Amino acid sequence: MNARQGFIGQNVERREDARFLTGKGQYTDDISLPGQTYAWFLRSPYAHARIKSLDTTAAAAAEGVLGVFTGEHFKAVGGLPCGWLINSLDGSPMKEPKHPVLAGFEGGKVRYVGDRVAMVVAETLEQAKAAGQLIEVDYDELTPVVDGAKAIGAPAAVHDEAPDNRCYQWGIGDKAGTEAAIAGAAHVTTLSYRNNRLIPNAMEPRCANASYDPNADNYTLYVANQNPHVERLLMCAFVLGIPEHKMRVVAPDVGGGFGSKIFLYGEETAMVFASKIVRRPIKWTCDRSEAFLSDAHGRDHATTVKLGLDANGKFVGLQVHTTANLGAYLSTFASSVPTILYATLLAGQYATPKIYCEVNGVFTNTAPVDAYRGAGRPEATFVVERIVETAARELGIDPADLRRRNFITTFPYATPVGLTYDTGDYEATMGRAIELADVAGFEARKAASAAKGLKRGLGYSAYIEACGIAPSSVAGALGARAGLFEAGEVRVHPTGKVTIFTGSHSHGQGHETTFAQVVADRLGIPMDDITIEHGDTAKVLFGMGTYGSRSLAVGGTAIVKAVDKIIAKGKKIAAHLMEASDADVIYEGGEFKVAGTDKKVPFAAVSLTAYVPHNFPHDKLEPGLNENAFYDPSNFTYPAGTYICEVEVDPATGHTRIDRMTAVDDFGNVINPMIVHGQVHGGLAQGIGQALLEHGVYDDETGQLLTGSYMDYAMPRADDLPSFNVETAKGTPCTHNPLGVKGCGEAGAIGSPPAVINAICHALGVKDVPMPASPYTVWKAAQAAAR
C-alpha cells in the first residue's frame, strides 16, 4: 500500500500470518538449547491431603536423573504472589495464604488434584517420567471443599489462615439506598444462577525453558507468557530473590493465552531455581491432561440478583450478591477479577441510580481461578443482561424497548459503582443490530419453526466493558500492587527504516500489523520499513504486557507518543537543512516541509542527517533518532455494543441450533477492521462455548476433575456456530487517547453468553436455563415448561 494513502481503517493482511501458516513460527517448545534437559512434575492425585512422608531416593538414583526437587527446596523462598490487594467490608485485608512453588514436603498439604508435589529433571523426558513414578508419597486424605457456594462454613478448611474458607467479603455501592429503592419498587425481578467454570484451552499449552549461565551469573527463561516483564518482576522480587537485572525473560511466539498465560506459575519458577543447581537448561511442555488440571480456570460464580423497576419501567435499584470460587490459592490477579473487574461494570449501559454488590471470595480444593477472556466483565454482563431481559419478559415489555427506556444518554456519566464512562451511543448500536438481525421478520421465522415442531427464540445483550486496563492511579486506589502503564520505543535507523519496541505482547492479536499501521500512518512511510519487536525483557522497555484489551489503547498510545517525539526532533534537523525556523516546519506524508514554500526534505534524509552530527547543530541536539515514551491513561476505555441471538430449539431432544448471531460493536476508531472482526469472531465462539457447551466440573465428594479431557469437556466446533453477522459501528471515539481507540479483543466473549441464554429462555417460555445449556439441560427445561 502506498504510504500516502493512509493506513488507519484499512484491511491490511496480517504480516505475521505468513510464518504461522508455513510452520515457521517459533514457539517456546521449538527452542532447544545446548545440553537440553527435561522436567516432569509429580502432581497430587487428591484434592485435599496431608503429606505424611515423601521419599525421592529411588527417583534420584534412576537412570538419567540430574535432580529431584520438592517443597523442601523452596521453604526458604516466597510463595507465588497475588498482585491485587482486596480489603473486606470491615477493613481487614484479604486472607493470603502462601502459594508454594512445590507443595511436596513432610507435613505439608496438597490442595487440589494436580497440585505440584515434586519436579524431576533428567536427560530425557521419558527418563524424567519414569523416575517420577519412583517417588513414594504417603498421603493422609482429608475432606475436600469443592462447591464454592457451600464453602463458607464447610466442615473442612482449605487453609488454616481462612478457617471459614473466606478470603474476603467485599462490597461496592450504596447498600442502604439500594435496599430502599428495591423495597419501594413497583416491580422486582429476581434471579439466582451459576456462571459456569471454564478451562482456557489455548492452542499452545504452557511451556518453559530455563537456563543459567555460571560465567555471567544470570538466568534466561523462555516462556509462553503474555507479560514477560511482569513474570520476571514477580519471580525475582517476590519468590526467588534473584536480582532483576540477572534475569532475562523471553516470550517468543505464543499460541493463544486468553488470560491463562498472564500469571506466574510454579512450574517455570521451579525450573529457574533448578537450572542453577543442575547447570543445564531445563525444558517443560505441559501436556493437555496437565493443562486441564493445572492451568488457572475462569468464571465459577454463584449469584443472586434483584432488579427494581418503577411503574414506567425505569430501573430504580440493582442488588447483587455473588460467591466467587477462587480455587485453592490466590493466582496472580485472582482477587481482582470478581471484585474490581466485575462489580464496577454492573451499571451496564443503564442509568440505574442505586447499585450495590457484595462479593464473598472463597477458597476451595479446586484449581486456582483467575482471569479468562473478559475477566469479570462477562460475569457482570451476564448479571445485568439476564436480569434486564427477564424483567422485560415478566412485565410484557419488548426487551429492546425496556433497554431504551433506561439507556445512559449523556456523557461523561459517573456510575454508582465507581467508573465514569467518557462516551457512547447505545441507541445507535442497538438500532443497527435490530436492523441487521431482521428482528422485524422474527415472527414469520418463528411460525416456520413451529410448523416443524421446533421452538424459536430471540435474545438481546447490550454489553459494556472497561478496557485498556489502567489507569494506575485508579487501579492503585482499588488495590493494584503494580502500575498499569505501557512503554514504547521508536528506533529510527540512518536509512529511515524503523524498529518499534513495545511492552505489549502479541499472542494472536496481530500487533505486528496494527502497530505497524499506526506508525506508518503517523510517519507516512511504507509498512515494509517498520519492524515490531516485543516479548524480550533484554530488548524492550519495562511494560505490563497484554490483557484486558489494552494493547492498542495503552501500548499503541505509548508508541504514538514516542513517534511524536521523533517528529519533533526531526523538525529541528529539517529546519537546519532547509535554513528555516523549526516553528515553520510541518510534517506530512513522510516529508518535512516549510509551510508556505516548496521546500521539503524526506524522512530518510533527516534520519541520515541525525547520524551525521556535523551536518546539523549537534551542540543543540544529540545525535541519533531514537525516542521512548511511557503512557498511563487517565481512564479506562469503554467499548459497548448490542448482540442479538436467534435460536431454534427441538423440545423433543433439547438440541439448540443458533440460527443467527448479530454483533454490532462500538470500538471507537478502528485501525484494521479485518483484524477487529476476527477478534470478535473468536470471542463469539468462546462465549457461545460457555453458553452451550463448556463446563469444568469437579466431583463434589472427592474433588476429582470430571472434565479432564476433550472426551468430557465440550469445546465449540464449526458446526456449533452460525455464520456471524458482525459490524463495527461508526463509533464514538475514546476521548482520552490520541488514537480514539477502545479495545476489541474480549467483546465477543462478553456480550454473547447472555444473548444465547436469553434466546433459549424466550424460545421455551421459561425464566432461566442454566449454563451450559446442553441438550439434556434444555430438554429438562422444555419438559418442565410443557408441564
Side-chain angles (χ1 to χ4, degrees):
M1 182 183 295
N2 189 312
R4 296 178 188 276
Q5 292 178 340
F7 291 90
I8 302 299
Q10 300 299 315
N11 289 320
V12 178
E13 292 186 358
R14 288 175 24 129
R15 304 197 300 174
E16 47 270 74
D17 283 351
R19 73 175 186 274
F20 294 145
L21 294 173
T22 58
K24 295 177 181 176
Q26 187 179 58
Y27 299 89
T28 302
D29 189 58
D30 294 324
I31 298 168
S32 288
L33 303 173
Q36 187 71 66
T37 68
Y38 298 85
W40 182 83
F41 288 88
L42 177 68
R43 299 183 181 275
S44 170
Y46 298 109
H48 196 195
R50 190 170 299 281
I51 297 174
K52 296 167 65 177
S53 65
L54 176 65
D55 188 348
T56 64
T57 306
E63 181 181 1
V65 171
L66 302 171
V68 180
F69 299 85
T70 68
E72 294 289 349
H73 292 87
F74 295 93
K75 281 187 172 180
V77 305
L80 304 179
C82 179
W84 209 295
L85 173 65
I86 296 297
N87 289 318
S88 288
L89 289 168
D90 62 4
S92 62
M94 65 188 186
K95 304 295 192 301
E96 205 166 354
K98 184 176 181 178
H99 186 176
V101 176
L102 295 176
F105 58 90
E106 290 188 10
K109 285 174 71 175
V110 289
R111 291 182 169 89
Y112 65 99
V113 175
D115 205 354
R116 298 170 300 273
V117 174
M119 177 181 72
V120 180
V121 179
E123 295 285 355
T124 69
L125 179 59
E126 291 72 19
Q127 290 172 334
K129 286 182 177 179
Q133 307 307 315
L134 301 176
I135 298 175
E136 297 180 8
V137 187
D138 186 6
Y139 295 98
D140 181 13
E141 191 174 0
L142 304 172
T143 301
V145 179
V146 180
D147 187 344
K150 301 175 182 177
I152 296 175
V158 180
H159 296 281
D160 294 341
E161 297 91 333
D164 63 351
N165 293 314
R166 186 167 12 213
C167 177
Y168 53 73
Q169 182 181 25
W170 176 89
I172 191 171
D174 181 351
K175 183 177 182 179
T178 302
E179 289 175 347
I182 290 177
H187 179 85
V188 177
T189 295
T190 303
L191 269 179
S192 294
Y193 62 87
R194 296 290 185 98
N195 198 300
N196 42 318
R197 178 182 282 243
L198 302 178
I199 302 175
N201 282 295
M203 186 176 293
E204 176 205 24
R206 289 191 292 124
C207 183
N209 197 337
S211 63
Y212 172 73
D213 181 353
N215 297 317
D217 186 31
N218 59 28
Y219 302 80
T220 299
L221 173 65
Y222 294 92
V223 62
N225 184 267
Q226 298 175 219
N227 45 357
H229 272 292
V230 175
E231 171 98 358
R232 182 178 72 166
L233 173 64
L234 295 178
M235 188 185 297
C236 290
F238 296 97
V239 186
L240 298 182
I242 298 170
E244 196 175 359
H245 68 290
K246 291 290 186 179
M247 167 84 94
R248 177 191 180 197
V249 175
V250 183
D253 290 329
V254 173
F258 313 121
S260 67
K261 294 174 183 171
I262 299 171
F263 323 122
L264 177 65
Y265 287 94
E267 287 88 355
E268 61 259 32
T269 307
M271 292 161 63
V272 168
F273 176 89
S275 67
K276 184 173 183 178
I277 296 173
V278 302
R279 300 295 176 103
R280 299 267 295 278
I282 305 169
K283 182 194 285 191
W284 168 76
T285 301
C286 186
D287 66 35
R288 192 59 68 179
S289 295
E290 275 187 298
F292 273 98
L293 291 171
S294 64
D295 286 2
H297 294 178
R299 316 288 193 253
D300 204 350
H301 286 191
T303 293
T304 296
V305 53
K306 294 182 179 180
L307 176 66
L309 303 90
D310 68 15
N312 296 314
K314 298 283 283 187
F315 303 160
V316 297
L318 181 74
Q319 183 184 67
V320 181
H321 286 89
T322 292
T323 298
N325 189 341
L326 302 173
Y329 303 103
L330 285 175
S331 180
T332 307
F333 291 113
S335 56
S336 67
V337 174
T339 52
I340 306 306
L341 299 179
Y342 164 65
T344 56
L345 270 298
L346 288 172
Q349 298 184 8
Y350 311 111
T352 308
K354 297 293 182 180
I355 301 174
Y356 178 71
C357 178
E358 191 169 298
V359 178
N360 281 298
V362 298
F363 294 113
T364 64
N365 293 114
T366 63
V369 178
D370 208 318
Y372 174 72
R373 197 170 191 169
R377 283 73 53 83
E379 297 92 314
T381 298
F382 197 82
V383 169
V384 175
E385 290 308 294
R386 282 290 293 118
I387 197 70
V388 169
E389 189 103 353
T390 304
R393 302 297 182 193
E394 287 180 351
L395 293 168
I397 301 173
D398 178 78
D401 180 48
L402 184 62
R403 288 174 168 86
R404 284 169 160 149
R405 294 185 196 185
N406 290 279
F407 276 158
I408 298 162
T409 56
T410 58
F411 297 88
Y413 177 82
T415 75
V417 279
L419 299 181
T420 299
Y421 303 163
D422 61 332
T423 185
D425 189 345
Y426 310 141
E427 171 59 40
T429 52
M430 173 163 279
R432 182 58 179 150
I434 288 172
E435 181 182 351
L436 280 180
D438 186 24
V439 172
F442 171 74
E443 290 300 329
R445 295 190 294 275
K446 181 179 179 180
S449 295
K452 298 182 291 183
L454 305 176
K455 295 183 178 293
R456 184 173 284 262
L458 188 79
Y460 291 83
S461 174
Y463 80 91
I464 189 167
E465 56 168 325
C467 287
I469 295 299
S472 296
S473 57
V474 175
L478 295 173
R481 287 166 163 166
L484 290 171
F485 54 85
E486 199 46 82
E489 180 182 355
V490 180
R491 187 177 301 172
V492 183
H493 306 287
T495 58
K497 312 303 181 186
V498 178
T499 302
I500 304 296
F501 298 88
T502 175
S504 300
H505 184 276
S506 180
H507 41 279
Q509 293 85 352
H511 294 170
E512 293 174 36
T513 304
T514 51
F515 284 178
Q517 283 182 256
V518 169
V519 175
D521 191 86
R522 203 83 170 183
L523 290 178
I525 63 176
M527 281 183 62
D528 288 344
D529 288 357
I530 300 166
T531 300
I532 308 296
E533 296 279 353
H534 64 90
D536 187 342
T537 61
K539 293 181 179 180
V540 303
L541 298 170
F542 189 101
M544 299 305 295
T546 292
Y547 43 85
S549 300
R550 71 192 304 269
S551 295
L552 198 56
V554 188
T557 297
I559 292 169
V560 166
K561 289 168 68 70
V563 168
D564 288 346
K565 292 181 181 181
I566 292 289
I567 293 172
K569 183 174 181 179
K571 285 181 179 180
K572 295 178 180 179
I573 297 172
H576 175 76
L577 294 176
M578 294 184 288
E579 298 180 338
S581 167
D582 59 309
D584 295 328
V585 176
I586 59 174
Y587 185 73
E588 60 183 20
E591 296 175 329
F592 293 91
K593 304 174 182 178
V594 178
T597 75
D598 60 357
K599 290 184 176 181
K600 59 184 180 181
V601 291
F603 179 73
V606 169
S607 66
L608 181 61
T609 302
Y611 291 93
V612 186
H614 59 269
N615 284 344
F616 69 92
H618 56 275
D619 56 323
K620 298 179 181 178
L621 289 173
E622 294 179 351
L625 202 54
N626 185 70
E627 298 287 350
N628 61 59
F630 288 81
Y631 176 63
D632 195 345
S634 59
N635 195 359
F636 299 101
T637 66
Y638 298 99
T642 295
Y643 290 4
I644 301 176
C645 179
E646 192 169 320
V647 301
E648 197 174 54
V649 177
D650 184 344
T653 66
H655 178 260
T656 299
R657 182 179 69 87
I658 298 179
D659 185 50
R660 297 172 177 226
M661 190 75 192
T662 301
V664 177
D665 300 282
D666 176 0
F667 295 133
N669 293 335
V670 172
I671 305 302
N672 188 315
M674 178 185 68
I675 288 178
V676 167
H677 286 175
Q679 289 286 307
V680 174
H681 279 226
L684 288 172
Q686 285 183 275
I688 291 169
Q690 174 172 16
L692 296 181
L693 300 163
E694 299 184 48
H695 193 189
V697 180
Y698 286 89
D699 181 83
D700 282 340
E701 298 296 324
T702 65
Q704 294 292 328
L705 181 65
L706 302 179
T707 53
S709 77
Y710 292 132
M711 294 294 289
D712 301 295
Y713 187 90
M715 295 282 284
R717 303 185 301 183
D719 60 355
D720 294 313
L721 308 172
S723 179
F724 300 134
N725 195 357
V726 173
E727 183 172 294
T728 303
K730 184 178 179 181
T732 53
C734 176
T735 60
H736 55 79
N737 69 60
L739 294 169
V741 297
K742 293 185 178 181
C744 68
E746 297 164 295
I750 293 169
S752 55
V756 174
I757 299 301
N758 285 338
I760 296 172
C761 291
H762 182 222
L764 299 180
V766 299
K767 185 173 183 177
D768 189 36
V769 174
M771 287 197 297
S774 66
Y776 179 60
T777 298
V778 173
W779 178 83
K780 286 195 299 181
Q783 298 308 303
R787 288 194 296 271

